[in-house]
Amino acid sequence: VTMKIATLFTILAGSATAFAPIQSGKASKAICVSFENEIGAQPPLGFFDPLGLLNGADAARFNRLRYVELKHGRVSMLAVVGHMVTTGGVRLPGDIDYHGTSFESIPAGIAALSKVPAAGLLQIFLFIGFLDIAVMKDITGDGEFPGDFRNDFIDFGWDTFTVEEQERKRSIELNNGRAAQMGILGLMVHEMLPSHDPYVINGLLGYPIDFNAGY
């Protein structure tokens, strides 16, 4: 549930692209030289900025958009996993409030919003805000790139990787995050269609999922 609430707020904030457009003129050439080799500008699209968010941008602007893109991607990856886990029937034990509303009685997907008590939604919102403001950021100021939140606390052997391995892993995270943003948006849109089946593709492939059966 927390993951889906986080995604709703994130999607409302909008998703930022991190590539500079290819344009004519001296000014645009300077931008391309600055950003054409950045991580994430890769085949098959290469530079892709249809909204022109990087027109005339400097490094600070690029880093801000990259930070936002990473944040949206990370939240969306959690959201997709959370959607699949709850669709699979996994729930926390116990009750969600003092009135006996069990976690087991909360459906998956957008339908959960109408079942979670208002106080629960407020707690989720405040908890996400706390994480965003106080935890998920470069607290020490030692981050090597946008989205580097190690903060001298957790490393997973990052400094033992070669430069090529680090760039590869950062590219993988970007691509997975981009796919997850599209994925969770697709799940929510499909859930609101007449079939109310976010996993409609499974049905088309012959493996239908009885989504929210019994709720």
Side-chain angles (χ1 to χ4, degrees), residues 5-42:
I5 300 296
T7 303
L8 289 177
F9 286 113
T10 303
I11 290 178
L12 288 176
S15 178
T17 178
F19 307 131
I22 298 176
Q23 297 181 345
S24 60
K26 295 182 179 179
S28 63
K29 289 181 179 179
I31 297 174
C32 288
V33 170
S34 299
F35 302 129
E36 65 180 358
N37 294 320
E38 289 289 342
I39 292 175
Q42 56 198 44

Side-chain angles (χ1 to χ4, degrees), residues 1-5 8 78-92 96 102-116 184 187-192 195-199 209-215:
V1 174
T2 300
M3 298 172 189
K4 295 185 210 40
I5 300 296
L8 289 177
L78 289 172
V80 169
V81 173
H83 200 289
M84 292 188 296
V85 168
T86 52
T87 297
V90 179
R91 297 290 190 280
L92 293 173
I96 196 173
S102 66
F103 285 103
E104 189 67 30
S105 67
I106 305 296
I110 298 176
L113 293 175
S114 63
K115 300 296 183 180
V116 176
I184 192 62
L187 288 172
M188 291 190 295
V189 169
H190 288 165
E191 187 176 344
M192 298 306 294
S195 64
H196 300 292
D197 181 12
Y199 298 95
I209 293 178
D210 198 359
F211 182 70
N212 276 341
Y215 290 96

Side-chain angles (χ1 to χ4, degrees), residues 38-175:
E38 289 289 342
I39 292 175
Q42 56 198 44
L45 295 179
F47 287 101
F48 186 70
D49 183 19
L51 298 180
L53 298 179
L54 283 173
N55 289 348
D58 57 11
R61 170 68 171 169
F62 176 86
N63 288 337
R64 170 60 183 168
L65 293 180
R66 173 51 52 85
Y67 169 80
V68 173
E69 180 183 23
L70 281 167
K71 179 188 290 186
H72 290 180
R74 289 167 179 174
V75 171
S76 296
M77 285 188 280
L78 289 172
V80 169
V81 173
H83 200 289
M84 292 188 296
V85 168
T86 52
T87 297
V90 179
R91 297 290 190 280
L92 293 173
D95 298 334
I96 196 173
D97 60 19
Y98 291 115
H99 301 291
T101 304
S102 66
F103 285 103
E104 189 67 30
S105 67
I106 305 296
I110 298 176
L113 293 175
S114 63
K115 300 296 183 180
V116 176
L121 293 177
L122 178 61
Q123 291 177 55
I124 293 171
F125 176 76
L126 293 176
F127 179 65
I128 293 170
F130 168 74
L131 291 178
D132 192 37
I133 295 172
V135 179
M136 303 305 295
K137 64 178 184 177
D138 181 12
I139 298 173
T140 63
D142 296 329
E144 299 175 1
F145 47 84
D148 182 2
F149 299 155
R150 289 177 292 167
N151 293 314
D152 297 327
F153 173 69
I154 190 168
D155 187 79
F156 292 119
W158 180 259
D159 290 331
T160 65
F161 300 144
T162 65
V163 174
E164 291 75 15
E165 288 174 326
Q166 291 178 347
E167 292 182 351
R168 178 175 175 272
K169 290 182 180 297
R170 290 175 62 193
S171 296
I172 290 172
E173 181 186 23
L174 272 173
N175 285 332

